[in-house]
C-alpha cells in the first residue's frame, strides 16, 4: 500500500510539473519526462559552474551505459533558450535537454523534492518500485553509475 501511494504521488508531482511547462530544447514543443523503468532527471542552468562541470561525465555515462540499459535520462534547463543553445554548442550532450518554461522554477523543483532550490539537482527514480534518490550538487560518472545501480538493485528485490 505504501509503495502504491508513493508511486501515485511521484506520478502526480511529475504530471503537475509537466503540464506544458517543459519543452524540448531543439524544437520548443511541449514534452513530458520519458517514462522508463529507471529515470534520471537532472536540473541545471548554463550559469551554474558545477552543472557545466558534470554534464560531460553525465553525457559519457548515458552514451556508454544508460542507453544500453534503457535508462531514461533528461536534463531540464532552468535558463533562457539563448543561454542553453550557447552552452550546448560548447558542451554537447547526448541525452535529451528540456527547458522549463513556467514562471516558478523553485515551486517546480520543489515538486521533485528540491526544497532548497540548489543546482545542479538530480533525481534518480524507479517509479514502479517506489525508489527515489535525490542528489544536490555535482555528479561524476562513477557517482551516477552507483546511484543507478542502487535504483536497479532496489527494484529487483
Amino acid at each position: 500500500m505504501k509503495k502504491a501511494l508513493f508511486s501515485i504521488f511521484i506520478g502526480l508531482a511529475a504530471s503537475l510539473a509537466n503540464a506544458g511547462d517543459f519543452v524540448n530544447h531543439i524544437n520548443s514543443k511541449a514534452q513530458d519526462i520519458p517514462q522508463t523503468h529507471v529515470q534520471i532527471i537532472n536540473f541545471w542552468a548554463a550559469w551554474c559552474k558545477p552543472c557545466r562541470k558534470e554534464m560531460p561525465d553525465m553525457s559519457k555515462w548515458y552514451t556508454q551505459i544508460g542507453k544500453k540499459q534503457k535508462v531514461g535520462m533528461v536534463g531540464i534547463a532552468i535558463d533562457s533558450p539563448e543561454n542553453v543553445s550557447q552552452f550546448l554548442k560548447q558542451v554537447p550532450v547526448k541525452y535529451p535537454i528540456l527547458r522549463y518554461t513556467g514562471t516558478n522554477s523553485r515551486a517546480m523543483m520543489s515538486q521533485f523534492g528540491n526544497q532548497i532550490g540548489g543546482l545542479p539537482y538530480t533525481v534518480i527514480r524507479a517509479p514502479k518500485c517506489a525508489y527515489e534518490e535525490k542528489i544536490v550538487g555535482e555528479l561524476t560518472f562513477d557517482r551516477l553509475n552507483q546511484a543507478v545501480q542502487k535504483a536497479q538493485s532496489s527494484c529487483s528485490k
Side-chain angles (χ1 to χ4, degrees):
M1 178 71 169
K2 190 175 181 182
K3 281 188 176 187
L5 289 175
F6 181 82
S7 292
I8 290 168
F9 172 76
I10 292 297
L12 179 61
S15 67
L16 288 173
N18 285 340
D21 287 341
F22 298 135
V23 298
N24 183 304
H25 177 66
I26 294 171
N27 60 20
S28 294
K29 291 185 179 180
Q31 184 169 332
D32 289 338
I33 294 170
Q35 297 301 308
T36 56
H37 180 63
V38 174
Q39 303 167 326
I40 301 167
I41 305 164
N42 174 256
F43 298 89
W44 66 282
W47 48 262
C48 166
K49 288 185 182 189
C51 302
R52 297 173 71 89
K53 189 174 176 191
E54 76 178 357
M55 288 181 80
D57 262 8
M58 292 179 70
S59 186
K60 182 178 174 184
W61 181 89
Y62 181 70
T63 302
Q64 292 180 1
I65 298 172
K67 277 177 135 179
K68 294 172 186 160
Q69 294 181 2
K70 296 184 175 28
V71 172
M73 185 170 186
V74 63
I76 299 177
I78 314 295
D79 212 327
S80 71
E82 298 80 18
N83 287 349
V84 174
S85 292
Q86 184 68 23
F87 173 75
L88 293 175
K89 285 179 186 173
Q90 298 167 9
V91 182
V93 297
K94 300 293 184 185
Y95 53 90
I97 298 294
L98 307 182
R99 277 184 296 102
Y100 174 69
T101 59
T103 58
N104 191 339
S105 60
R106 270 203 176 309
M108 178 274 298
M109 287 194 298
S110 169
Q111 292 175 354
F112 286 89
N114 187 347
Q115 303 305 317
I116 63 170
L119 293 176
Y121 177 73
T122 306
V123 178
I124 298 165
R125 66 186 187 186
K128 289 185 179 178
C129 69
Y131 177 86
E132 184 172 86
E133 180 178 355
K134 301 165 191 153
I135 303 168
V136 177
E138 182 184 326
L139 282 173
T140 63
F141 183 100
D142 291 336
R143 176 67 179 100
L144 179 59
N145 198 45
Q146 290 168 357
V148 170
Q149 286 176 355
K150 188 175 174 185
Q152 290 167 330
S153 68
S154 188
C155 292
S156 65
K157 293 178 182 176

